[in-house]
Amino acid sequence: MKKKNITLKATKINGLPWILPAFIFVVGIIYYSIFYTFNLSTLDWNGLDPVQTRVGMSNFTKALSDWVFWKAIRNTIVFFIITFVIQNFLGFILAAILHTKVKLATVHKCLIFIPTILAPATMAPVFRLLFSPQGMLQDIFDTLHLGITVDWLSKPNSALFILMIVAVWEFTGMSFILYYAAMSQIDKEMLEASRLDGAGNFRTLWNMVLPNCKGTTVSLAMLGIIGALKTFDIPYLITTGGPNHATEFLGTYIYRQGIRQSHLGYAAAISVMLLVLAISGAILINKMNKGDEK
Amino acid sequence: MFEIRSLKSKVILQIVLLILTIPYAIPLVQMFLGSLGGKGFLNYKAVWDTGVVPIYFRNSLIISAGVILLVYIFSMTAGFGFAKLHIFGKEVFFWLILVALTLPEVILLSPLFVTFQQMHLFNTFFAVILPVAALQLPFTILLARNFNSGIPNELMEAASIDGANVFSMFWYVILPLTKPIASSIIVLTLINSWNTYLLPLLFLQSPDKQTVTLLPQYFQGEFTNDQTKILAAAVLIAIPEIIVYLLMQKNFEKGMSAGALK
Amino acid sequence: MKKARVVLVVLVALMLMMTTVLAGCSSSKKTEDTSTETSGEVVWWGWTPGSPTNEKYIAEFNKQYPNIKVTWKQTSIDDYDAAIKPALANGQGVDAFEVSAGSGNGGVRVFGGQAIDLTDAVKKALGDDYKNKLNASSITTMTVDGKLKGLGVGTVYSGNLWINQDLFDKYNVKVPTNYEEWKTACKTFKEHGIDGFVQGAGQGAFNMDTFHAIADNVSPGTFTKATRGEVKWTDESIVKALELWKGLFDDGIMQKGALGLQQYPDANNLFMSQKAAMVMMGSWYTSNTLPDTMKAAIESASSSEKPFTLIPINFPDIAGTGKTGSMFGDLDYSTAVSATSKNIKAATTFAVWLGTSQSGQQIIADSLNVVPSLKSATPNWDSVKLVNPEKQNDAVKKYLENAMSSVDNARFAGINADMNQAMMDVLAGVAGGTITPKDGAAKLATTQADSK
């Protein structure tokens, strides 16, 4: 039997049954939680009482006038910007270097990616030790007689910076792998041509390689903003949001308010705002990206 | 990417690389050194003597296996469907799934514990496997969809000329070609499910259902906090992950290279 | 876009329906008690003191009740509340669980609702005059709505310092009794490369102890009165206490970087590895006067030093009022029995044994970790051997006697969750200079008023 319009036929097959199970599963669990959270945000409840009091929007107004809430948002923004720049800069450069003939490339690749594999829960005690006066860094500074005290987790400003270093350590691997992959796809002939035209290494990198990795950069930006908003493990396990909320993030604040202090309704309200911010952020980046492609 | 001609440049590049990657090794060294404090390698023996290491490992394995299975099946089918097939309102479905990426784990806790209670899933592995899988899927479906887009339609048409139905096309044509992206998906999912901390902490009560991420708890009493043993436990947890990654490295890279994120 | 809209609406409707259906499903599970007073399986949850100590208690228990199998489930102190809440709500996997008097973790006021009333069980074990046989506060702080929800195992007291007498002897430093002496001692030690005093000021609970001690030094009893609302937090003496607290940081008594350290493990490790000469710990630290316990603590501090002479001293009279030696304490932990457990009878037997029986309380006493609730259980000084009996025996005995005679001075029992957080914030803020003592005191006052 001959079939007409073969090219169209293939895509006319109904794909609904193929995506439905995955869809129901993901949406079921996650959207159920989201709606449940919407409901929770209008309550004043501690999770155990049989009585739940409805308080309307007051949890939201409370959040907007809560200095810790705004501090958490400020921390998130600062965190996102700095880690995004450093992480992706390093990932990009390392990917470029490792696409060149260097010795021990595999060892370096592993060293960069292994941090991404290890659980934050596992590494938190290591970092607390490392950045304390009892850690390796202090030993190194002492041997070099540098007179610096490694107490950076105790001061509000440096504490946030240390967490950013930890985040960069953990996620550069991801950024590296993606850039490495994107670079493998670049047309070698194009690079050759630009070299023949006399472009040096850095010119080539900036004008040819970087634009070709744009897709990766955009994806990393979106993942970055969502990741920054979701940040929980690192600040919670290393500094528990301290000292004095200097490293408080929305995720840690939600956890502390909801689970440790049993203000479930308030925590839910902050969660709702977090979701709104995340979706707005993603849409914004998407629009900016589309805007560029004119 | 770089064109290096002279020996001097070669050396400089090598040194720059070294300077950039040494900081990544420092925490790993600290972890190892810290675990040897006090009683040295006896710390590892002490961790082993708690008697729970094999059990916790087994539990983490079961959970990871469950999650990987779910994620693999759903990602492959959905990725294929989104990339190759006709769906009414396709982008809406896809967008709804992607939005789920924005959800922090923390928000799942309260709703799920009420629901799991009512469905009698509490203190079962499902209570961890299901949410972890749901959190992985948006990203893995994205990866699978992009990869599938890269598979030429001609292959499918050729199969349909031979009389294959959709399922056969999927099974015999598409699936074998997705090995690279499957490796990437498996490695990413393994990492995330091996490392989950909050969900097992809250949803698994029985001492015989705990996961490896809860092993350090053993050494954190109210007035005790045995750093040396916690770090030894950390090293023990990290080793399997590193081994699996090293084994699957080639395939993982291939998968990411094959147009994972455009 | 119209196509998309339609799909979206349909999906949202479906999800809303699903949500309401699931929410509507309620299940009532009737839990049957399948245990008896002498047989059953009990899962015992807690955060302290940790393995292998708990297993020792269980082994002793099994000498009397061989047919009750007890399994100890440990969580870290920070995660206890989070982990046990779903377990209790679910009614599965928890039979006996630790509760505390305060609100930091396992607060009896929070979790008491899930526990059964143990009054009858205690009466059966000790008789109707049980109130005379047990430490008074262990009963009052565990009674919620007239019901006895937890059986106190032991009390810990705080308010003093512990010092490394060997280091003091080595560098010929006078044990400080006032502010100037404390400053001098710290300075001298620093010249020899050792921290004089060390504290993990990143962990709020221990800061509260120090603050409480200072407040009691300035004006005894004011702290407790403030928690009850009988005195304002903005009272002069509280502001002065906050100023003195700040002084510890400004005048070099608190070590550099204190705010970034945790008491456990960082400060503890520093002291145990003999890199610091003084630390503020309470009566739970007494167990470190035992050679084996101290050796284990030193090893966890990655040190290979030998056990040293650990001595308790009064909090220095930094306010200059002459009023020192105040101790405050709470039940460190008590045992409650979950109302939805399938092993209520067996779990009750265990709770009663641990909290009120001579054999149970004796082993608690001998571990020198907490002060037992049963008045008749005192450490067996003949068989308990300390590291340096000559220098330590008298000091420790006197110390414990003084602690036990403290009246009506609760450590955390009078502080609810919000005040707990506020106090930690204020203390950290004052220490770091981001809030003045006066404003800090005002914040405490408003938080207390709001949280009522």
Side-chain angles (χ1 to χ4, degrees):
Chain A
M1 278 242 293
K2 280 273 165 82
K3 294 192 170 129
K4 290 211 180 113
N5 287 342
I6 289 171
T7 32
L8 288 175
K9 189 75 169 159
T11 50
K12 267 244 152 78
I13 304 172
N14 193 2
L16 202 59
W18 289 89
I19 65 165
L20 220 45
F23 182 77
I24 294 184
F25 180 69
V26 172
V27 161
I29 293 189
I30 299 203
Y31 280 80
Y32 168 69
S33 305
I34 295 182
F35 285 128
Y36 185 91
T37 306
F38 282 156
N39 182 35
L40 255 190
S41 65
T42 58
L43 297 177
D44 179 8
W45 190 38
N46 73 355
L48 289 175
D49 261 341
V51 177
Q52 306 174 337
T53 8
R54 201 154 283 274
V55 292
M57 299 296 278
S58 72
N59 281 325
F60 290 93
T61 41
K62 186 164 166 228
L64 289 174
S65 53
D66 186 350
W67 75 273
V68 182
F69 173 72
W70 290 109
K71 183 106 190 147
I73 292 198
R74 192 180 150 278
N75 286 345
T76 311
I77 296 179
V78 171
F79 184 83
F80 167 63
I81 296 178
I82 298 188
T83 52
F84 177 73
V85 169
I86 300 183
Q87 231 164 262
N88 294 313
F89 174 72
L90 282 177
F92 184 74
I93 294 282
L94 284 167
I97 296 182
L98 285 166
H99 257 295
T100 324
K101 276 208 170 69
V102 280
K103 297 257 189 300
L104 296 178
T106 320
V107 172
H108 287 288
K109 269 195 242 172
C110 286
L111 268 183
I112 300 170
F113 195 70
I114 283 181
T116 315
I117 305 183
L118 301 176
T122 317
M123 294 308 291
V126 179
F127 282 108
R128 270 205 269 133
L129 179 61
L130 186 62
F131 290 109
S132 73
Q134 289 80 51
M136 255 171 73
L137 290 180
Q138 185 73 66
D139 288 340
I140 297 179
F141 289 154
D142 287 344
T143 334
L144 296 176
H145 293 292
L146 283 176
I148 307 177
T149 323
V150 182
D151 60 348
W152 304 327
L153 285 173
S154 66
K155 305 216 179 61
N157 290 333
S158 48
L160 188 61
F161 191 65
I162 297 291
L163 290 187
M164 293 195 257
I165 293 184
V166 174
V168 168
W169 178 83
E170 222 185 284
F171 294 116
T172 306
M174 199 59 188
S175 158
F176 164 73
I177 286 266
L178 290 174
Y179 275 124
Y180 190 82
M183 285 183 193
S184 329
Q185 307 224 303
I186 295 183
D187 197 355
K188 295 278 179 347
E189 291 178 356
M190 205 171 50
L191 287 177
E192 286 294 320
S194 93
R195 289 206 197 281
L196 288 175
D197 281 348
N201 276 323
F202 288 107
R203 267 310 256 321
T204 319
L205 213 59
W206 184 257
N207 286 339
M208 301 241 77
V209 182
L210 191 54
N212 268 291
C213 296
K214 186 151 175 282
T216 311
T217 312
V218 169
S219 307
L220 283 169
M222 266 204 260
L223 287 176
I225 229 189
I226 293 176
L229 282 166
K230 277 159 87 161
T231 304
F232 175 77
D233 288 15
I234 298 178
Y236 186 70
L237 293 166
I238 300 186
T239 54
T240 39
N244 202 11
H245 300 292
T247 55
E248 194 80 69
F249 282 77
L250 287 174
T252 56
Y253 198 41
I254 293 174
Y255 184 75
R256 200 207 303 259
Q257 284 289 334
I259 312 275
R260 304 213 59 199
Q261 287 176 262
S262 298
H263 297 308
L264 286 184
Y266 189 52
I270 303 180
S271 310
V272 170
M273 295 208 255
L274 194 164
L275 282 172
V276 169
L277 283 173
I279 298 182
S280 318
I283 294 182
L284 192 68
I285 293 192
N286 204 28
K287 277 221 158 56
M288 273 167 57
N289 181 36
K290 290 245 162 67
D292 274 349
E293 288 169 9
K294 280 254 155 58
Chain B
M1 287 296 122
F2 291 123
E3 276 238 332
I4 308 295
R5 290 279 151 78
S6 66
L7 182 63
K8 179 170 142 217
S9 304
K10 269 208 174 86
V11 170
I12 293 182
L13 192 66
Q14 199 71 45
I15 293 183
V16 167
L17 182 62
L18 205 62
I19 294 181
L20 285 179
T21 48
I22 282 190
Y24 288 91
I26 291 184
L28 299 174
V29 175
Q30 170 79 92
M31 178 165 80
F32 187 64
L33 285 181
S35 72
L36 291 180
K39 290 163 82 173
F41 281 105
L42 283 180
N43 286 327
Y44 287 92
K45 180 170 179 302
V47 174
W48 184 262
D49 281 344
T50 56
V52 295
V53 177
I55 302 178
Y56 288 13
F57 260 75
R58 179 204 69 184
N59 295 337
S60 283
L61 262 173
I62 294 179
I63 290 178
S64 299
V67 175
I68 290 179
L69 191 65
L70 266 181
V71 170
Y72 180 73
I73 295 177
F74 283 156
S75 307
M76 287 297 135
T77 51
F80 173 61
F82 276 117
K84 293 290 176 204
L85 303 178
H86 172 75
I87 302 171
F88 182 79
K90 181 195 288 196
E91 294 311 317
V92 173
F93 281 102
F94 193 65
W95 183 83
L96 281 175
I97 292 183
L98 273 194
V99 163
L101 254 183
T102 59
L103 196 87
E105 209 183 357
V106 174
I107 299 190
L108 287 180
L109 299 176
S110 304
L112 285 184
F113 95 57
V114 170
T115 320
F116 283 163
Q117 229 177 293
Q118 290 163 349
M119 291 170 63
H120 302 297
L121 285 180
F122 228 64
N123 205 23
T124 65
F125 287 128
F126 283 113
V128 177
I129 293 180
L130 297 179
V132 174
L135 286 171
Q136 301 302 310
L137 277 171
F139 190 62
T140 55
I141 292 181
L142 177 68
L143 289 180
R145 177 183 183 173
N146 280 342
F147 189 83
N148 271 294
S149 306
I151 297 180
N153 280 347
E154 284 80 21
L155 289 171
M156 280 176 55
E157 289 148 27
S160 94
I161 294 179
D162 288 342
N165 63 14
V166 161
F167 191 74
S168 306
M169 270 191 256
F170 176 71
W171 192 260
Y172 292 110
V173 178
I174 305 284
L175 216 47
L177 290 173
T178 55
K179 277 215 179 63
I181 201 71
S183 302
S184 306
I185 291 181
I186 291 180
V187 170
L188 284 175
T189 310
L190 178 68
I191 294 176
N192 286 321
S193 49
W194 190 262
N195 290 343
T196 67
Y197 174 70
L198 270 188
L199 286 168
L201 176 72
L202 299 180
F203 290 165
L204 293 176
Q205 274 87 52
S206 306
D208 61 340
K209 294 214 172 75
Q210 307 291 291
T211 59
V212 285
T213 42
L214 298 176
L215 190 56
Q217 301 259 335
Y218 243 88
F219 304 104
Q220 282 173 302
E222 180 180 14
F223 299 121
T224 54
N225 197 323
D226 197 341
Q227 277 296 85
T228 56
K229 304 211 178 41
I230 290 179
L231 291 178
V235 172
L236 283 180
I237 298 175
I239 290 181
E241 299 185 281
I242 297 181
I243 293 181
V244 170
Y245 168 66
L246 290 176
L247 289 175
M248 301 199 64
Q249 197 191 14
K250 279 256 151 49
N251 275 319
F252 180 66
E253 274 173 42
K254 247 199 269 171
M256 298 306 266
S257 303
L261 282 180
K262 286 241 166 60
Chain C
M1 266 320 274
K2 185 144 191 273
K3 220 167 55 170
R5 282 253 185 93
V6 169
V7 175
L8 193 56
V9 168
V10 169
L11 286 175
V12 171
L14 269 173
M15 290 191 282
L16 279 175
M17 268 182 4
M18 221 171 54
T19 315
T20 26
V21 164
L22 278 176
C25 274
S26 63
S27 72
S28 52
K29 267 194 322 209
K30 278 223 137 143
T31 39
E32 306 273 323
D33 189 353
T34 55
S35 70
T36 72
E37 265 104 17
T38 50
S39 74
E41 287 184 12
V42 175
V43 177
W44 179 31
W45 280 57
W47 65 86
T48 189
S51 301
T53 315
N54 295 77
E55 278 83 3
K56 285 206 194 94
Y57 297 162
I58 295 176
E60 188 72 22
F61 173 69
N62 282 137
K63 286 189 192 156
Q64 215 176 327
Y65 296 96
N67 290 326
I68 301 185
K69 181 163 173 285
V70 182
T71 321
W72 163 247
K73 167 136 162 60
Q74 158 118 48
T75 64
S76 71
I77 191 174
D78 289 323
D79 292 326
Y80 184 72
D81 278 12
I84 201 171
K85 236 186 241 174
L88 283 174
N90 180 57
Q92 231 196 60
V94 186
D95 300 303
F97 61 102
E98 288 180 355
V99 288
S100 71
S103 57
N105 45 277
V108 71
R109 252 150 253 293
V110 177
F111 296 105
Q114 315 278 320
I116 67 173
D117 185 1
L118 293 164
T119 321
D120 288 336
V122 179
K123 277 202 188 137
K124 236 171 105 189
L126 293 179
D128 282 337
D129 63 338
Y130 68 91
K131 287 202 184 160
N132 294 335
K133 298 196 179 138
L134 294 174
N135 184 321
S137 67
S138 69
I139 302 196
T140 48
T141 52
M142 284 294 120
T143 306
V144 181
D145 296 332
K147 306 199 184 101
L148 187 60
K149 293 290 178 146
L151 288 178
V153 177
T155 312
V156 283
Y157 296 91
S158 185
N160 62 294
L161 301 184
W162 288 87
I163 65 168
N164 182 334
Q165 185 68 51
D166 295 340
L167 281 179
F168 274 81
D169 292 340
K170 186 170 173 195
Y171 297 117
N172 220 336
V173 181
K174 182 174 187 297
V175 174
T177 55
N178 60 37
Y179 203 62
E180 282 310 313
E181 287 173 4
W182 207 358
K183 267 194 346 196
T184 319
C186 289
K187 206 156 142 271
T188 317
F189 279 117
K190 205 73 197 126
E191 283 159 16
H192 293 284
I194 299 180
D195 281 322
F197 176 77
V198 70
Q199 173 132 329
Q203 222 167 345
F206 299 96
N207 289 348
M208 282 162 64
D209 280 346
T210 316
F211 176 56
H212 192 159
I214 299 179
D216 276 355
N217 178 218
V218 171
S219 164
T222 313
F223 184 91
T224 312
K225 292 205 187 104
T227 61
R228 294 201 191 128
E230 291 162 22
V231 165
K232 287 215 186 77
W233 283 103
T234 43
D235 184 275
E236 269 187 352
S237 57
I238 300 282
V239 179
K240 179 111 185 28
L242 283 171
E243 282 165 12
L244 286 169
W245 160 255
K246 184 171 192 313
L248 294 178
F249 288 84
D250 294 339
D251 291 334
I253 293 179
M254 284 279 181
Q255 86 285 15
K256 251 181 155 201
L259 279 173
L261 289 188
Q262 305 278 304
Q263 188 83 333
Y264 285 89
D266 309 317
N268 183 45
N269 284 358
L270 277 173
F271 183 74
M272 279 298 158
S273 51
Q274 304 219 38
K275 296 205 185 105
M278 297 180 266
V279 73
M280 180 160 189
M281 298 280 195
S283 65
W284 64 85
Y285 222 53
T286 319
S287 54
N288 282 325
T289 55
L290 295 167
D292 285 341
T293 319
M294 179 170 259
K295 193 152 168 294
I298 293 180
E299 274 167 4
S300 347
S302 302
S303 157
S304 42
E305 304 269 0
K306 293 230 166 351
F308 54 86
T309 312
L310 180 66
I311 303 272
I313 64 167
N314 280 342
F315 195 82
D317 180 13
I318 63 178
T321 58
K323 304 202 167 68
T324 60
S326 148
M327 299 284 282
F328 36 91
D330 288 325
L331 278 177
D332 191 31
Y333 60 102
S334 316
T335 325
V337 174
S338 165
T340 50
S341 151
K342 291 202 181 76
N343 287 281
I344 291 188
K345 295 202 195 70
T348 310
T349 308
F350 180 68
V352 169
W353 178 85
L354 193 61
T356 64
S357 75
Q358 187 63 34
S359 54
Q361 288 280 292
Q362 188 60 49
I363 194 178
I364 301 272
D366 287 340
S367 64
L368 289 187
N369 186 251
V370 291
V371 175
S373 301
L374 189 65
K375 288 185 186 167
S376 57
T378 50
N380 196 340
W381 292 111
D382 295 325
S383 58
V384 168
K385 245 199 124 246
L386 304 183
V387 170
N388 190 338
E390 260 171 39
K391 291 204 176 145
Q392 289 178 314
N393 272 18
D394 279 339
V396 172
K397 265 195 218 149
K398 266 203 214 103
Y399 165 69
L400 287 176
E401 277 165 12
N402 181 31
M404 279 160 54
S405 65
S406 85
V407 199
D408 197 27
N409 203 343
R411 189 175 170 224
F412 295 136
I415 303 179
N416 65 35
D418 289 333
M419 274 306 279
N420 205 339
Q421 184 67 41
M423 213 173 280
M424 292 203 252
D425 289 344
V426 167
L427 289 175
V430 168
T434 54
I435 185 174
T436 66
K438 231 166 169 220
D439 289 338
K443 176 130 197 297
L444 291 175
T446 37
T447 312
Q448 177 133 324
D450 282 341
S451 67
K452 284 268 175 273

